[in-house]
Structure formats: C-alpha cells, structure tokens
Amino acid sequence: MEEAQRKLEEILNIVESCPKEEYQKAVAQRRDYEIMYHLSPARANLVSWLPISRNHRVLEVGAECGALTETLAAMAGEVTALEVSKTKLRINALRNCDKKNISYAAGDPVALAASEKGSYDWIILTGKDLSYLETLLPYLADNGRLALAVSNCFGIRRWAGAPREDADMSKKELTRRLFAAGCAEIETYYPYPDYEFPMMIFSEEFLPRRGELRHNRRNFKSARYEFFSEREAFDRVIEKGMFDEYANAYFMLTGKTEERKRCIYVKYSDERGRRFMIRTAIDRDESGKKYVSKRAIAPEGVSHLKHILNCHETLRERYRESGVSVNECRAGGDLERDGLSFAYLDGESLSDVIKRERDRGKREALLEQYRTYLTYGCEVQPFEMSEEFKSVFGERELPPNLPAARGLDVDMIFPNIIVSGGVWHLIDYEWTFDFLIPVGFILYRACFYESLEQPDNKEIGLDRLKEAGLLDDALEETYREMEKSFQAYILDGIVPTRDMQRLIGHPVKDVPYMESEVRRLTNEWERVRDELIQCDAELSAIKASRTWKLHEKLCRRIK
C-alpha cells in the first residue's frame, strides 16, 4: 500500500509540473507501468469514438486519475467523476482544472444520490468489479447507454501465458449478467490488443482479418511467458469464425432500450507526433450506408487533414485518365470537429489478390501494373536532393541519375490499394510529398512490407527486385536508412506506446524459442560430449603406446 501511495504522489508531481502535452514524454522518462497506465494519452482511445454529445450527462465510475475523464469532458455537457481514492480524485481534478463541466464525488456507486436516478445518458465502467451493475442501471436515462470494458478470461493472451486479472470474464458470462440485470440489447466491441491501450476497436459487423493482429507483445504491467505465437493463434480463430470467443477484451454498450449501431470500426494512428495523429473510423450514416471518417486526435493534427485533402485533389487529377481511382475525400463543415469523410469500398486489397493468385505469370503482371501506376502522370527525372527531402528522409548518398518523381505516395503499399471491378482504388495517400523521391524507394517499401506479410513468397520480396536489376545491396541499405528517417519524421520526437514494453523492461519469455534453444544446446552438448569421448579414447590409446612410453622416458632423462 505504501508503494502504491508513493506512486500516486509521483503522478501528482508530474501533473503539477508538466503540461498535458508533455505527459507522454514523462511516461517515457519514468519507464513505469503505473505512471503509464494513468497518464498515457492512449488510454482515451477506448471512449473517444463514442457518440457522446454536448447535451449528454456522463457518469464515470472508477474515474481514477482522469485518463478518460478529460476526453469525456471534451465530448459531453456534464461529467460526474466517481472515485473511491481521494488521492486519485485530487490528481484527476488537478489534471482537468481547465474543464468546468466536471463534478467530482468520492466513494462508490452506493454513495450516489437517489435524486440522480434516471438522469445519466452514459455510464462508463472499465475493468471494475461488476457487483455494482444492478446499482448503476437505475441511474441511466430511458435512452441512456452503459459502456462496460473487461478483459476476456479466455482471450488468446491468457492462453499464451499472460497473467489473469481479477475482473476477467467470458463473453457468455458477461452477456448473461447484463441481460439478467435488465438490459434490452448488447452491442459488443473488441478493443485490440486490450481495452487499456487500444490501437483498434472491432465490432461484430467488422471483425479482424487474417494477419491483421500483429501487436501482441504489449505486456507493460509485468514480465510474462508466451507459450505459442499469438499472431498465428489469432489467424486460426479468425479463420474458424471464433474470434469473438478468444478476443483479449470486450467493450459492451447496452441500455434499457435498443439503439442502432453507428460506428463499426476504429483505428488509432496515434504512435506519431501530435501533428500527425489521426483516428480512422468506419461509420454508418442515417440511411445505414457505410463511410470512412478521419479526425485529428490532437488540435495540431488539423493541418495534416488539410494536407490529405490537398493530396486527394492532386492525385485525382494525376490519375484521371488511368485505371486508378483515388478514393473520394470530402471535408466536413468544421474540419477540427467533423474531420474528413471517404467512400467505403468493398473489394480485395492488392495484397490479398497477390496472395490468392496462384499463376506466376499473373502475379508478375500485377507487379508490372503496379510499377506502371506508381509513376503514372509524373515526370520521371534524375534525382536531386532537396532540403525537404533531407527533413523527411535524411541526407543520403544515392547513385547518379536515379529515376525520381514529385508527387509520389510513399505509402502506396499493396494493402492500401483496393481492387474492385478491375479498377485499382488508392485508399490511403496521406504521405504524398511534392519533392523528388526515388521511384525505387516506393517499390522497395511495397515489397519490403509485403515480404513481412508473406515471408515465404520470394516473388514479391527484395530478392526479386535484385534479380530484376531494380535493387542492389548498397541501395537496399540506403533505402533502409531512409525508411528509418521517415519513421522518425512521423514520430516527431515522441516515444511510441509500442516501445514502452522494452523501456519498462518487462520481458516476454518466448517458450517455443526457449525450447528450440534447449534442443540446440542439447545437440551442441551431445556433439561436444562425443568429441570429448573420442579425444579421450585417442589420448588413452596414445598414452598406452610404446612410443609414448619412450617419450616419457626421454623426458625424464632430459630433466
């Protein structure tokens, strides 16, 4: 208890001395799970997409140090933060002292005034004991929603060796409990990789695809074992249609009445500098039609939305007479509030088309078509390094007369192209730059990232580029360094959440790897043992020989 209180005092000192924009830097410097849990901006990803509006009252149960409270207050008209710990409540109030629509209450739900019943449009409950569930529901308004986040006791992470949590619960058990409490219907969402620091949130209508769940080693709280590959296990349950049973966490929305689902998928591109942070969602409009939206996570990100809008206009003009369609992009009335909207496209990604295609000749034709579209409508000319290039990719030594062009989409990788009805649709073009970039670098990135998805397919890897004379070892190394600089440009000085596990120092003990090492070392030991036995036998035979005895006799005489 003393350690927990000491940690809260440290968090209080950070909140007192740092502006909110510096919390992430403070988290990286402290390298501590508790500080990360309470101050990481990624915590708010769980709720920032909810349809909470200014005419809504929100009750947050277990508000802790305000990781969600700040975001809820920015969305709602009024927020009540309920927390048992007075120290946490003090940190919450200090952290959100600029918010005038938050009231704070110390205690548990039993302490809520009876006069508040039926008055809350939203009740938020994350990872807490459900013993208060029946107590909370009467406080919902008739059309109110309860948002409940818990870890799944049967999640892949648990089977793979991560420690269990006190409030773990299966989907079946949780659903039964909610219906028994009087809930009318339940919308189930699946935060990934968990509900504490979600990167993506799936729904029953929009489930993950094979190969999509790659970020599984995010054990910030403690060291853990990994009994098997979680990525391969997820691929297997997705293939069998059982993801809902083995997801790591659930985020359920429920209430006294039914409500039509609007948002069906959310992805956070927040492991970037604040000026590049984007939230992408798949929503439904009033008629039920799907569309894609992008919003800035931080105010500084509005300029990046403007950049995307400009890229759309530029690329649409460039590809006007080609077989490439640049996905339609429109700005809302208020760019900061409404963001950008895009058409939702059905179809296969170029990556999936390549995976599915068995005929080698057709695969080659697809890759050749990709190379043609890469520079379509561009003036290809010898590369000249500009200051803009250096600011993004660093100062590099590149071969003379290297083909380059302006207006290239650096992230024109295969998953970002949807193929439908014979037309290639470019769906993500935020990293389009108006300065000369080597054409081969874009091709390198496409093949490099595809080789990570299809490591056994040599026809789309970097070796294939070398065979075609489009890449050599020296150029590959230069492109690799360019990619590192590009990623650093995107990070813009922040330490991403993905790096915190390494910084905090809680290792993932890969059991299959440990087993392979035991086998390797055992084989090595057996080989050395056999050599030792053989050497010992040879040495014994030598020492038993007449020649050796004469040698010993001679040595004694010399001495």
Side-chain angles (χ1 to χ4, degrees), residues 1 52 54 69 79 98 123-124 148 162 174 193 196 236 246 313 328 421 455:
M1 185 63 73
I52 298 174
R54 281 297 181 187
T69 313
V79 175
D98 58 328
I123 297 178
I124 312 295
L148 174 66
L174 182 57
E196 289 186 350
R236 188 68 171 161
Y246 294 99
E313 295 301 321
E328 183 181 4

Side-chain angles (χ1 to χ4, degrees), residues 296-310:
I297 294 176
E300 300 93 317
V302 174
S303 61
H304 192 54
L305 294 181
K306 293 178 181 177
H307 169 74
I308 294 173
L309 194 61
N310 291 335

Side-chain angles (χ1 to χ4, degrees), residues 350-357 363 367 414 454 460:
L350 180 58
S351 178
D352 290 336
V353 172
I354 293 172
K355 290 176 187 176
R356 177 175 50 79
E357 185 55 66
R363 283 198 300 268
L367 294 174
F414 302 151
Q454 303 185 60
I460 48 84

Side-chain angles (χ1 to χ4, degrees), residues 490-514:
I490 294 172
L491 288 175
D492 203 20
I494 73 155
V495 176
T497 302
R498 63 177 178 267
D499 286 353
M500 287 306 299
Q501 183 259 332
R502 175 179 55 82
L503 294 175
I504 290 174
H506 294 317
V508 177
K509 299 180 180 179
D510 188 329
V511 175
Y513 173 76
M514 292 167 67

Side-chain angles (χ1 to χ4, degrees), residues 24 42 45 48 192 198-201 215 218 265-281 293-298 301 304-305 308 411 416 428 430-431 490-491 494 496-498:
Q24 198 160 359
N45 292 352
S48 64
Y192 174 81
M199 302 169 58
M200 294 180 278
I201 299 177
H215 306 280
R218 298 204 169 197
Y265 169 75
V266 188
K267 178 182 178 181
Y268 290 89
S269 301
D270 59 346
E271 296 194 344
R272 306 172 167 186
R274 289 174 60 84
R275 59 183 173 141
F276 298 132
M277 291 181 178
I278 297 292
R279 184 184 85 215
T280 302
S293 64
K294 288 183 182 289
R295 291 178 173 82
I297 294 176
H304 192 54
L305 294 181
I308 294 173
D411 209 23
N416 286 340
D428 196 344
E430 62 177 321
W431 302 114
I490 294 172
L491 288 175
I494 73 155
T497 302
R498 63 177 178 267

Side-chain angles (χ1 to χ4, degrees), residues 393-453:
F393 300 106
E395 189 167 358
R396 305 293 170 199
E397 288 190 15
L398 289 161
N401 299 317
L402 193 67
R406 290 183 173 82
L408 294 181
D409 176 10
V410 171
D411 209 23
M412 194 174 169
I413 57 178
F414 302 151
N416 286 340
I417 299 170
I418 298 296
V419 181
S420 178
V423 178
W424 290 26
H425 300 269
L426 194 58
I427 61 171
D428 196 344
Y429 37 81
E430 62 177 321
W431 302 114
T432 300
F433 296 103
D434 191 26
F435 52 79
L436 287 175
I437 298 174
V439 175
F441 176 65
I442 316 299
L443 189 57
Y444 161 85
R445 291 189 86 251
C447 291
F448 172 75
Y449 283 107
E450 194 63 22
S451 67
L452 297 181
E453 295 296 320

